[in-house]
Amino acid sequence: MIVAVDVYYEENKAKSVGVIFQSWEDSKPLEIITSYTENPPEYEPGFFYKRELPCIRELLKGTDINQIHTIVVDGYVYLNDEKKPGLGHYVYTDFAGEIPVIGVAKSAFHDNEAFVQKVYRGNSSKPLYITSVGMELAVAAKHIRSMYGAYRFPHLLKLLDQQTKETRL
């Protein structure tokens, strides 16, 4: 199974959502899981993962992690051409490097081209920025390109974004 994860923050609470699906081409999730974190760590510039990772870790306790073969995060695996670790890399190492992670970002990051592949979907002239660890970048980009939906942002990732922001905390 594949799980795409995201976290939404409001005041002193965080809502984490995971959309679980079987195949990259799926149009519907198998399951949507949610967890809430009271008083998540404060955001530290340059250390986004310190805020997000504990919430994702808590969310994934609600899965049979042994059934997950890929995790998709909203963001980057590597933040620059020197492979500075981003959220995706920290998720990967948190699971002992056993589950490949794909980062899907909507905007470019300064000095970050060597380990990023741009994916154009639908009729959009704006790409998605794909990074990966534990999986070849070209394979990760192919998976995101093959996801269901006619628009720039794949349907299940759009659903994840909606579910994360739905219902105030």
Side-chain angles (χ1 to χ4, degrees), residues 29-73:
L30 294 172
E31 184 179 3
I32 297 175
I33 58 173
T34 305
S35 71
Y36 297 89
T37 304
E38 296 288 330
N39 302 309
E42 291 293 319
Y43 171 70
E44 292 180 53
F47 298 97
F48 176 64
Y49 75 92
K50 287 184 177 183
R51 185 172 204 208
E52 198 104 339
L53 185 58
C55 298
I56 293 171
R57 187 183 298 130
E58 186 63 31
L59 173 72
L60 294 180
K61 286 180 183 176
T63 68
D64 179 354
I65 200 67
N66 296 317
Q67 296 298 310
I68 302 296
H69 65 74
T70 308
I71 299 171
V72 179
V73 299

Side-chain angles (χ1 to χ4, degrees), residues 23-149:
S23 168
W24 293 105
E25 297 81 16
D26 287 355
S27 62
K28 296 179 182 169
L30 294 172
E31 184 179 3
I32 297 175
I33 58 173
T34 305
S35 71
Y36 297 89
T37 304
E38 296 288 330
N39 302 309
E42 291 293 319
Y43 171 70
E44 292 180 53
F47 298 97
F48 176 64
Y49 75 92
K50 287 184 177 183
R51 185 172 204 208
E52 198 104 339
L53 185 58
C55 298
I56 293 171
R57 187 183 298 130
E58 186 63 31
L59 173 72
L60 294 180
K61 286 180 183 176
T63 68
D64 179 354
I65 200 67
N66 296 317
Q67 296 298 310
I68 302 296
H69 65 74
T70 308
I71 299 171
V72 179
V73 299
D74 179 17
Y76 282 91
V77 169
Y78 298 113
L79 300 178
N80 62 24
D81 291 342
E82 285 75 47
K83 283 193 167 182
K84 179 181 179 184
L87 173 63
H89 191 273
Y90 287 103
V91 170
Y92 180 72
T93 57
D94 198 61
F95 288 98
E98 294 179 2
I99 304 172
V101 175
I102 299 174
V104 179
K106 298 175 206 97
S107 57
F109 210 71
H110 175 71
D111 189 32
N112 195 6
E113 294 181 11
F115 304 102
V116 175
Q117 188 162 336
K118 295 177 184 176
V119 168
Y120 294 87
R121 290 178 37 92
N123 294 324
S124 180
S125 61
K126 292 178 69 175
L128 294 172
Y129 300 88
I130 309 304
T131 52
S132 67
V133 62
M135 173 186 297
E136 289 183 32
L137 181 57
V139 172
K142 178 183 166 203
H143 287 320
I144 301 303
R145 192 177 294 111
S146 73
M147 289 183 77
Y148 177 81

